[in-house]
Amino acid sequence: MPKSAPSGKFVVAPQTRGQGPAAHTGDIAVIRYTAKVWRTGKALPGLYDKSARPQVFAVRRGATLPALDRAVQGQRAGSRVLVVARPAAAYGTTGSAQLHVTGKDTVVFAVDILNVIGASATVSGEQHSVAGALPEVHMSRKEATATLTVPDRAAPKGLVVQRLVDGKGPVVKAGQTLGLHSPRTWRMARIPRRAWRPAPL
């Protein structure tokens, strides 16, 4: 860390420029970071610490620290960005007693943008047909919307889960955070670590 005092300006300085998609409003960013307090040089808990998971958040939706949100805006996946965040963009004027950060401390972040998922992203692959007793799902990839057609008959007595598209990505495991995309809306969901069984409907 420099020995001089910080300028008081908010700084975003790309160190490595990625080649992936750029992050815009509503997109999902997946990041890791390391951070230090400018005044003391104290290292803050980061996402490269042992057992830490990447952070997943919707861009420009107030879902994370302003410094991290602004750091990813317009940046491409695969980029590393240096961020100098004045107090208002870091932990605010009250600071964080738990982290020993005061309301006057400038915080420096090195942010790696691991992935950017577009706000209108949809899964790829052919959709399987469903039994006549189940609702049909009609997907518009162009508009990133889904329409349900419910059959004119009684609903099943129990919970029914049917995979419509076979994904090729990594298997979901307990403790992970997922981005769930319903039409035009992103949600964050954490998979519980212990076994979960749905109650009968």
Side-chain angles (χ1 to χ4, degrees), residues 120-146:
S120 60
T122 60
V123 298
S124 59
E126 293 299 320
Q127 182 171 295
H128 303 310
S129 59
V130 297
L134 297 177
E136 294 183 1
V137 181
H138 305 279
M139 192 76 198
S140 171
R141 298 189 185 282
K142 182 178 180 181
E143 298 179 2
T145 59

Side-chain angles (χ1 to χ4, degrees), residues 23-25 59-60 66 68-75 113:
H24 301 294
T25 300
V59 179
R60 298 193 67 180
L68 300 177
D69 201 358
R70 292 176 60 182
V72 304
Q73 292 175 27
Q75 304 295 336
I113 305 172

Side-chain angles (χ1 to χ4, degrees), residues 32 43 49-50 54 56 67-68 76 93 98 117-118 122 124 127 137-138 144 147 150 154-155 171 173:
R32 288 188 187 270
D49 296 343
K50 187 177 181 180
V56 182
L68 300 177
R76 292 185 176 275
T93 55
Q98 181 180 3
I117 305 170
T122 60
S124 59
Q127 182 171 295
V137 181
H138 305 279
T147 303
V150 180
V171 176
K173 298 180 181 179

Side-chain angles (χ1 to χ4, degrees), residues 11-16 71 80-84 108-111:
V11 178
V12 176
Q15 305 297 296
T16 303
R80 173 169 291 167
V81 183
L82 177 68
V83 181
V84 180
V108 180
F109 298 87
V111 182

Side-chain angles (χ1 to χ4, degrees), residues 17-94:
R17 297 186 182 275
Q19 301 299 315
H24 301 294
T25 300
D27 293 345
I28 293 295
V30 183
I31 69 168
R32 288 188 187 270
Y33 67 81
T34 187
K36 280 189 174 183
V37 178
W38 183 301
R39 175 178 57 87
T40 63
K42 174 181 173 57
L44 300 178
L47 300 183
Y48 278 108
D49 296 343
K50 187 177 181 180
S51 77
R53 303 181 189 88
Q55 184 174 349
V56 182
F57 63 92
V59 179
R60 298 193 67 180
R61 293 289 188 250
T64 187
L65 291 176
L68 300 177
D69 201 358
R70 292 176 60 182
V72 304
Q73 292 175 27
Q75 304 295 336
R76 292 185 176 275
S79 297
R80 173 169 291 167
V81 183
L82 177 68
V83 181
V84 180
R86 57 181 181 266
Y91 294 95
T93 55
T94 58

